[in-house]
Every structure is written in structure tokens, then in C-alpha cells.
Amino acid sequence: MSVSFDGLGISADLADTMTRLTSVGAQLARMIARNGLEGNLAEAAGTNAGGDGQKALDVIADEAFMDALRGGAVRHYASEEQDEVVDFGTGTLALAIDPLDGSSNIDVNVSIGTIFSIFEAADEMDASFLRPANEQIAGGYIIFGPQTALVVTFGKGVQQWVLEPGSDIWRRVADPKPLPSETSEYAINASNYRHWPQPIRAFIDDLVAGAEGPRGRNFNMRWIASLVAETHRIISRGGVFLYPGDDRDGYERGRLRHVYECAPIAMLIEQLGGEATDGADPIMSATPDRLHARTPFVFGSASKVARVAAYHDLPQDEAHALFNTRGLFRS
């Protein structure tokens, strides 16, 4: 495995853990590239602890990461695919992981990925993860697409590596730039519009109104249904992502997991000068109350995320779209 985390000021334990993660990442990249040639990685494989359907690759990825990390520096392993924390017995670190994010896109050849978060291990297993996200010592993702890339932060900037095709070699490339303050892209699943809370509907309505609305400019919507892919696009060119809670049963707190998905993405985004909230309050200072807790999630360019929060602060009778005098929301 040719990847070096030297010169980044991280501990030997953290460097070893990253080497193990990237080793599995290279294995999965090869497997994903061969999907359908030797088996169907999108085949149904049960239901996980959160009630979501699992694909074959979800289970394969989870088992591969557990096997690779066991015997190393990770003592506590928390996975979206496991009901409870797995205790490896020894080690100094705790790792939370979504082994295969975006698995609904496996069969349509859209970018998918792995999201991970690393803490110093606590004495109690759950206590390693039920803590503020600002106690993370690392967070990042591996994206499997036309290019396989690792994007990670150790708390001092964000680094990026790209996997050399057909090999296990990861090459360091240019670090992501700070997020632009103003962009014209947003990401949300508009099919759920009727279920959203009023502040979210008002925010989106003002974007949809375009140049004729209170924002005075046109916007483009993107939706990939893969958090890793959405994050990679925003890190590459800015914008804002929204997955709010809504009035459907089981969606009151959205569908994204605080520990496995939102905390590490929030850490990356804030390192690039962006913001990440539950729509109003910062993700990085929030403490989940259970391992598989969900949270609404809004992240991206700081000005856009702050504007979403401002809509939540408006009186209910003012949180309606197309009030052209709402100078607060002009771009």
C-alpha cells in the first residue's frame, strides 16, 4: 500500500488507522468497478439497525473494514450496519463509519462512498461516540466514482488523495480550496416539498423564483441521493445541501445519522470555511443521545447555511416566499 501520512502532524496510531482504511478503499474500488461481472453488489441483503434496507455491498464493506481494523489502534468500532458498538479489546481510538454510503445508487453506476469519523477512545464503548462532534480528531470520506479519492481532515485543513487506477497507490493531489461564499447551486430532494417545515419551503421557494424573486438571481438544483457525492461537489465548487426533518412518520429528524455521516462531513466543511447545522444550530457542538441518532442536516457555503438559519428565525407569518421587500435575503 503506497500512501503516506507523514508530515501531517498526526500520531502513529492515527496514521496506521488511515493506512488500513485506504487499503480497504482500494479493494472496494476494484470490486465496484467489476460490479455485475462476478455478482450483483446491489442485491438486497437485509435491514440494518436504522431500519434501512441493506445491499450486498453494504455488508461486504462493513466486514472488510472490521477485518482490516481489528488488531490495530481502533478499540471501538461503530458502524451504521451494526446494532451496537463492536469492542476490539485494545487500542487508543474509536472509529465510526458508514461503510457504503449511497448504496441505492450501486446498480445505476453513480458515485458512492465510505464516510468515517475518528475519536480518542473512551473507557465505555458508547461514550466514545455520544459526544460533541468537535471532539473528533479526524473525519473524511472515500468516494468511488470515475475517480476514487480520499478527502480527510485531521483538524488542520483538508487533504485529498487520488487512487492510481489499477493499483493500490494513493497519490496526494492539491488540497481543496476554501468554499466560495456565493454560488448558484443547491441540493435537496424536491419531491418531499409538501412535507417540509415552512422555513425550508420558504427558502427553496425564494430560490426557485430566481431573478424575479427576492434573491434577484437564478439558481440550479442538484440531487444525487448520495451524501458522499453531494459533499464532493460542494467541496469542489460550493453551494448548499439540505436534508431537513419533515412531517412524515420516521422523518421528524430527517434520515441522516449524526455519528456516522453528519459529524465527519461537518468537520470537513468547517475546515474549508463553510458551516453545518441542523437547520438552525451547529452540528459540531451537538451531542447525539444514541448511537444511531438522526439529525436534519444543512451544510455548505457559510452564507447559504446562515441564510437557512435566518429563515427559521422569522415569525411564522413572515416565513413565506416571494416577499420582495425581504432585503435580508437578497444575494
Side-chain angles (χ1 to χ4, degrees):
M1 169 58 60
S2 179
V3 59
S4 174
F5 297 98
D6 295 338
L8 296 178
I10 64 175
S11 69
D13 281 355
L14 186 52
D16 177 70
T17 299
M18 291 302 306
T19 299
R20 292 168 186 256
L21 287 172
T22 52
S23 176
V24 176
Q27 295 171 31
L28 293 177
R30 290 191 293 272
M31 185 179 297
I32 291 165
R34 296 184 60 79
N35 183 33
L37 297 177
E38 299 167 351
N40 179 13
L41 298 177
E43 185 177 10
T47 303
N48 65 19
D52 294 331
Q54 292 175 307
K55 305 295 186 181
L57 188 56
D58 287 308
V59 177
I60 292 169
D62 186 43
E63 293 176 349
F65 282 115
M66 278 200 294
D67 288 345
L69 292 166
R70 188 178 282 110
V74 172
R75 176 181 177 185
H76 298 148
Y77 176 89
S79 168
E80 186 173 321
E81 308 306 330
Q82 299 289 330
D83 292 347
E84 300 176 345
V85 178
V86 178
D87 189 353
F88 290 156
T90 60
T92 64
L93 302 178
L95 183 138
I97 193 167
D98 181 353
L100 204 289
D101 171 73
S103 56
S104 64
N105 285 316
I106 295 170
D107 57 348
V108 294
N109 205 24
V110 171
S111 294
I112 53 181
T114 296
I115 308 174
F116 59 89
S117 168
I118 304 176
F119 293 89
E120 298 285 357
D123 290 336
E124 299 294 332
M125 290 188 296
D126 284 359
S128 284
F129 306 102
L130 303 185
R131 59 207 294 187
N134 57 26
E135 294 183 10
Q136 294 173 105
I137 60 173
Y141 62 83
I142 299 171
I143 183 169
F144 307 106
Q147 177 188 73
T148 297
L150 164 72
V151 180
V152 63
T153 179
F154 303 108
K156 295 181 180 179
V158 176
Q159 295 85 44
Q160 183 170 209
W161 280 259
V162 171
L163 181 65
E164 184 78 36
S167 77
D168 287 347
I169 300 172
W170 294 83
R171 299 193 185 278
R172 178 89 180 263
V173 297
D175 295 343
K177 296 178 181 179
L179 300 186
S181 60
E182 290 297 336
T183 64
S184 296
E185 290 185 345
Y186 66 97
I188 195 167
N189 186 351
S191 67
N192 295 323
Y193 177 91
R194 66 193 183 280
H195 301 295
W196 296 337
Q198 185 58 40
I200 298 296
R201 279 192 280 175
F203 175 78
I204 297 300
D205 283 346
D206 284 353
L207 299 183
V208 172
E212 292 74 34
R215 300 293 299 280
R217 61 187 293 190
N218 295 320
F219 293 85
N220 295 319
M221 192 189 84
R222 300 285 186 263
W223 185 250
I224 307 174
S226 167
L227 181 59
V228 163
E230 305 281 6
T231 303
H232 203 67
R233 186 190 63 252
I234 287 175
I235 284 178
S236 299
R237 62 194 195 200
V240 62
F241 170 95
L242 304 95
Y243 201 129
D246 62 44
D247 62 9
R248 292 173 293 169
D249 289 342
Y251 283 78
E252 296 84 359
R253 296 289 295 167
R255 296 297 289 177
L256 298 178
R257 275 73 167 185
H258 180 108
V259 173
Y260 311 108
E261 297 168 310
C262 302
I265 297 303
M267 186 180 184
L268 283 170
I269 292 297
E270 290 204 357
Q271 285 290 313
L272 292 172
E275 292 185 2
T277 73
D278 63 2
D281 299 317
I283 291 293
M284 288 295 285
S285 59
T287 301
D289 60 0
R290 59 190 183 281
L291 196 60
H292 297 286
R294 302 181 192 270
T295 181
F297 198 28
V298 177
F299 72 87
S301 298
S303 63
K304 297 292 191 291
V305 176
R307 188 170 283 117
V308 174
Y311 275 76
H312 284 81
D313 291 337
L314 283 173
Q316 185 67 25
D317 60 355
E318 293 183 22
H320 294 279
L322 308 181
F323 279 79
N324 290 308
T325 59
R326 283 214 307 264
L328 172 65
F329 303 119
R330 291 188 182 277
S331 58

